[in-house]
Amino acid sequence: MLTDLEKAILEYLKRQPNSFKWVLGKEVYTKETTIEKFMKDEKFRKMIVEQAVLLAIDLFSKGD
């Protein structure tokens, strides 16, 4: 079962255009592969959630 934050990230991914791509290391992820991996790979999902939290904290910190 997904947490509220995981659901929000998944909804964000689903709203992206089909041309959506991003890079992690040497791997290029499309919208479809990101969603599939997010749903099936708990370690990947945890990493994405951690990065989203770190980004949010960084944005809040810069607002001060």
Side-chain angles (χ1 to χ4, degrees):
M1 179 163 250
L2 297 176
T3 67
D4 287 343
L5 180 54
E6 291 168 338
K7 288 176 187 175
I9 292 169
L10 184 58
E11 287 304 312
Y12 167 82
L13 291 169
K14 288 179 178 179
R15 287 192 310 267
Q16 298 310 301
N18 289 333
S19 60
F20 175 84
K21 291 182 184 172
W22 64 285
V23 179
L24 179 64
K26 295 180 183 178
E27 193 74 34
V28 177
Y29 292 93
T30 64
K31 172 185 174 178
E32 184 179 301
T33 58
T34 302
I35 291 171
E36 183 177 322
K37 195 162 176 76
F38 188 85
M39 294 301 297
K40 292 182 179 180
D41 186 335
E42 190 174 332
K43 188 175 179 181
F44 180 81
R45 184 169 53 248
K46 183 179 177 186
M47 183 271 302
I48 295 295
V49 169
E50 288 173 352
Q51 291 304 309
V53 169
L54 288 173
L55 176 59
I57 291 168
D58 188 46
L59 292 172
F60 282 129
S61 297
K62 289 182 179 176
D64 287 340

